[in-house]
Amino acid sequence: MRIVQACRKLGLEFVCVHTAEDIHSGHVRIAKELGGEKSLYQVSSYHDANEILSVADDAGATAIHPGYGFFAEDFRFARRVTTRERKLIFIGPSWRVIRELGDKINTKRLARSLGVPTVPGSDRPIYDEMEAEKIARSLYDFQLQQGITRPLVLVKASAGGGGMGIEEVYDIDQFRSVYRRIRNYALRQFKDEGVLIEQRICGFNHLEVQIVSDRSGKNPVHFGTRNCSIQSTGLQKRIEVAPGFDSSSIEYDFDADKLLEDITRHSLALARKVGYDNVGTWEWIVTKDGSPFLMEVNTRIQVENGVSARISKVKGQGDVDIIAEQIRIGLGDPLGYTQEDITFEGVGIEYRLIAEDPDNRFTPWVGRIDAFGWPSHPWLKMHTHVPTDESYEIPTEFDPNLALAIIWGENLEQAKERGMQFLDELTLQGENQSGELKSNVNFLRANTGRILRF
């Protein structure tokens, strides 16, 4: 829906795809309202590249926006889009950049060559079980020497992202079976068996740097930092806050302002190194003593781009639309501003409203939503595909994400107060055969007080 709105803002025509299960989704409604029936195509699957490209050809499209999902970081899809007989523009980084940074192992190697701190562990694909176990044992031994009484390592699909394809291993005797499982998963899901063995960093905050660059790849800028530390048990983000730390109201054991400067500087250095040419996110973990480690680069626009946009101004103009910027520069426009033109004001909080049961390992809830609404406020932005004027059956084929709520405040305390006000005023009701709708609203409420803290 935000992509459609950005197209209209830029004066661009669009077409949308939808599956049969998504016929009642808000993006179908908004496409009809803004583009008419000709703006809609039904497909059997969002993951069928042939169908997507057939739609593009039939509609006479000149560009494809891959959204936030798997296609957005699939260099093979991006390459196919731009090199087929009827060439299209891929709204995202060039396929070569996606390939180069989409591999966590290669990203780590590039980062280390620039002196960018990375998580201890392998910096090349590990395909041999014996070698993988040897690396894991060395990381266990290192942690024991550091006084960690219960060491563990992470086994990660190098081409994964968004918390997918990651498992923790506490018992070295279980390592080989986990390694095999992740390698098989990576092959099925990402068509790449590459596996990364890393030391698990404990007691950290998860920060991100929002990078934007035009097709020249020479002048990247950042739109600040986000803190995404409040997550589900499956490492899926639930609350995002911009900026990533707040030294004006929270006392840290390190110089938080310098830390934010360091990770943005490192992120821009790596972006310049590879000639990054669209929107992307540099993901960091920061320990309680202020040690930063680059975790990975997401070579796509992320769902949470809006909370960074909310606190940003370009040449004094607020209400930045990073999706519109992505499309504009993706089509070849120069960036048109420098880092000195970007300023920041206030604090933004983004809540992900999801039909799930946080008390039962965040198990998805499926059923009918009967009432969904909220009072409007100048400090609140809501993004949702769920209708507010009629009931809505949550499709079982997709994750039950309901909405993104972005709250702005002049400072952290005001943003938190407004966030709690929003959650208290929210109406979200529904049911299924087992009872009333379950959501993460209480989880969001309970965790608002600890944002930006360790």
Side-chain angles (χ1 to χ4, degrees):
M1 292 173 73
R2 288 186 287 179
I3 294 164
V4 167
Q5 291 162 343
C7 285
R8 285 304 296 262
K9 184 183 296 185
L10 295 169
L12 301 171
E13 293 185 82
F14 66 88
V15 294
C16 285
V17 295
H18 71 89
T19 62
E21 298 83 8
D22 248 354
I23 187 63
H24 300 296
S25 172
H27 85 279
V28 173
R29 178 186 291 193
I30 195 174
K32 288 180 181 178
E33 290 174 356
L34 298 180
E37 294 291 340
K38 65 181 176 59
S39 69
L40 279 169
Y41 284 79
Q42 181 169 318
V43 294
S44 60
S45 170
Y46 292 121
H47 295 291
D48 189 323
N50 291 329
E51 275 197 290
I52 301 295
L53 292 172
S54 292
V55 167
D57 290 341
D58 187 76
T62 56
I64 288 184
H65 193 299
Y68 312 99
F70 291 118
F71 277 147
E73 292 188 273
D74 185 339
F75 81 85
R76 295 174 181 85
F77 178 73
R79 180 175 60 192
R80 181 178 175 185
V81 166
T82 57
T83 60
R84 63 200 292 264
E85 185 175 346
R86 183 180 174 274
K87 294 180 175 61
L88 297 159
I89 297 170
F90 181 79
I91 304 298
S94 64
W95 67 264
R96 292 181 178 84
V97 168
I98 297 174
R99 182 178 63 180
E100 191 166 14
L101 291 181
D103 186 326
K104 294 184 181 72
I105 295 171
N106 189 57
T107 299
K108 176 179 281 191
R109 198 158 45 228
L110 281 169
R112 287 179 175 176
S113 73
L114 295 171
V116 176
T118 63
V119 178
S122 57
D123 61 0
R124 59 184 177 81
I126 307 299
Y127 297 98
D128 181 77
E129 283 187 20
M130 296 290 287
E131 183 180 7
E133 185 175 354
K134 183 178 179 181
I135 293 171
R137 287 188 182 277
S138 70
L139 292 175
Y140 274 110
D141 292 342
F142 174 77
Q143 292 175 70
L144 289 170
Q145 292 169 11
Q146 299 298 309
I148 298 173
T149 55
R150 195 181 179 212
L152 70 155
V153 297
L154 291 180
V155 183
K156 307 169 68 172
S158 69
M164 302 178 68
I166 303 176
E167 283 197 42
E168 298 177 345
V169 184
Y170 285 90
D171 184 351
I172 192 66
D173 292 333
Q174 300 296 319
F175 177 81
R176 288 196 186 187
S177 62
V178 173
Y179 171 81
R180 291 172 192 162
R181 185 159 60 245
I182 293 296
R183 194 172 77 175
N184 290 336
Y185 174 86
L187 181 61
R188 289 195 314 273
Q189 199 72 44
F190 308 114
K191 300 180 178 64
D192 186 338
E193 284 185 289
V195 174
L196 192 61
I197 316 297
E198 287 186 345
Q199 179 178 321
R200 174 71 156 90
I201 307 294
C202 298
F204 64 86
N205 268 214
H206 178 179
L207 270 69
E208 298 177 341
V209 178
Q210 180 68 72
I211 298 293
V212 177
S213 181
D214 60 27
R215 289 301 191 196
S216 73
K218 296 178 180 178
N219 55 350
V221 298
H222 73 82
F223 277 86
T225 57
R226 298 187 288 262
N227 192 311
C228 306
S229 301
I230 297 176
Q231 304 178 356
S232 71
T233 51
L235 303 181
Q236 301 296 311
K237 303 163 191 171
R238 292 296 180 264
I239 301 178
E240 292 104 2
V241 189
F245 287 127
D246 183 10
S247 61
S248 66
S249 60
I250 298 176
E251 187 174 332
Y252 299 99
D253 295 334
F254 55 91
D255 187 336
D257 294 333
K258 181 180 183 302
L259 182 282
L260 296 180
E261 290 177 8
D262 286 346
I263 65 172
T264 52
R265 175 171 49 82
H266 285 315
S267 299
L268 289 169
L270 185 53
R272 282 189 289 267
K273 172 75 173 178
V274 300
Y276 201 85
D277 60 350
N278 201 246
V279 174
T281 302
W282 270 240
E283 301 213 16
W284 293 80
I285 55 179
V286 179
T287 61
K288 196 171 184 180
D289 66 357
S291 299
F293 300 96
L294 179 67
M295 185 166 56
E296 63 181 344
V297 176
N298 284 162
T299 55
R300 58 180 169 88
I301 197 162
Q302 289 182 296
V303 169
E304 59 270 28
N305 73 85
V307 74
S308 294
R310 188 65 184 85
I311 68 166
S312 302
K313 292 184 176 182
V314 174
K315 297 181 179 179
Q317 296 297 310
D319 199 22
V320 176
D321 186 338
I322 295 179
I323 295 178
E325 289 298 280
Q326 180 199 28
I327 296 171
R328 183 178 66 82
I329 60 180
L331 294 175
D333 282 2
L335 192 60
Y337 48 85
T338 66
Q339 192 66 58
E340 288 68 34
D341 296 318
I342 302 172
T343 55
F344 304 98
E345 181 181 4
V347 174
I349 298 174
E350 179 173 278
Y351 293 126
R352 299 195 188 198
L353 295 171
I354 302 174
E356 62 184 1
D357 185 1
D359 296 327
N360 185 24
R361 298 184 60 81
F362 294 85
T363 302
W365 184 90
V366 174
R368 187 185 69 251
I369 296 177
D370 295 315
F372 186 36
W374 56 90
S376 62
H377 296 286
W379 42 262
L380 170 66
K381 277 191 175 184
M382 279 288 280
H383 299 290
T384 181
H385 64 282
V386 178
T388 57
D389 56 356
E390 60 185 12
S391 62
Y392 177 73
E393 198 77 31
I394 299 174
T396 58
E397 291 79 9
F398 312 116
D399 290 340
N401 298 298
L402 305 180
L404 298 176
I406 301 175
I407 290 95
W408 181 86
E410 293 180 5
N411 51 53
L412 178 60
E413 200 55 42
Q414 186 182 67
K416 287 161 60 176
E417 289 174 2
R418 289 175 171 177
M420 293 296 282
Q421 180 182 338
F422 162 75
L423 294 171
D424 290 340
E425 293 176 343
L426 179 70
T427 298
L428 179 56
Q429 298 170 349
E431 62 180 3
N432 62 15
Q433 292 179 338
S434 302
E436 293 184 352
L437 178 148
K438 292 185 181 296
S439 77
N440 66 340
V441 171
N442 285 335
F443 172 84
L444 300 175
R445 186 182 287 116
N447 282 277
T448 296
R450 71 179 186 91
I451 60 177
L452 302 191
R453 297 182 180 274
F454 283 86

